[in-house]
Amino acid sequence: MTDVVRPGRLGDAPACSKIKNDWVDRTGWMPRVHAREEVERHYHAFVFQEREIYVIGDPPVAFVALGEDNFVTSLFCGPPGEGRGKVLLDHAKTKRPELQLWSFVANTGACRFYEREGFVETDRSDGDNEENLPDILYRWTAG
């Protein structure tokens, strides 16, 4: 499969929610705060209605969601480690002159990835999110 990025369609919501759910299930430090079915409903009713979505694959094997204020609200790949996160992040960089995102401190691989890709830490929280996990706010600016 070539890693061609395309706009997400509402019909991609089940596959994308499965990618996220599978990540939650295989990540030992990540608490499950929403049932799998609830995540799928949220993706169908909100994420794919309110976000700018780009995917790789048909059905999708990776996706990125861009929200207001240049936020990357989701970037998930399944299976991980195949370079698709970089492909999607590079695509997002072509769509916005600035990007920002939160990454959990415990997600050390993601933090290293974002730093390698030019993101700079701008803030931290002590877990002011629904997972109650400390996180880092990163920002990237073009040029």
Side-chain angles (χ1 to χ4, degrees):
M1 171 195 335
T2 59
D3 289 338
V4 175
V5 177
R6 66 171 175 82
R9 305 180 292 261
L10 185 58
D12 296 325
C16 291
S17 66
K18 182 180 183 326
I19 293 167
K20 177 175 182 183
N21 275 320
D22 290 351
W23 178 82
V24 170
D25 289 345
R26 73 174 176 267
T27 304
W29 53 262
M30 183 66 173
R32 175 159 291 282
V33 294
H34 300 285
R36 291 180 74 91
E37 299 77 18
E38 192 176 348
V39 172
E40 185 170 341
R41 281 192 301 274
H42 176 71
Y43 269 59
H44 190 271
F46 179 78
V47 174
F48 273 77
Q49 303 293 331
E50 302 293 328
R51 302 284 186 248
E52 187 177 340
I53 310 290
Y54 297 96
V55 304
I56 294 174
D58 196 4
V61 295
F63 72 98
V64 64
L66 305 176
E68 296 176 4
D69 297 328
N70 297 315
F71 262 94
V72 176
T73 60
S74 294
L75 176 59
F76 289 97
C77 304
E82 297 184 354
R84 292 185 178 116
K86 180 171 174 32
V87 170
L88 286 167
L89 194 58
D90 286 349
H91 185 79
K93 288 176 176 178
T94 70
K95 298 294 182 184
R96 308 280 174 97
E98 177 182 279
L99 295 172
Q100 52 187 347
L101 57 87
W102 287 97
S103 183
F104 295 113
V105 171
N107 198 349
T108 56
C111 292
R112 285 191 306 271
F113 167 70
Y114 293 125
E115 291 166 8
R116 264 194 327 269
E117 295 305 312
F119 283 74
V120 176
E121 179 180 332
T122 61
D123 200 3
R124 283 185 179 240
S125 90
D126 59 1
D128 185 24
N129 49 56
E130 65 183 355
E131 295 87 359
N132 295 310
L133 295 173
D135 53 4
I136 302 170
L137 179 63
Y138 284 105
R139 177 169 290 143
W140 168 86
T141 305

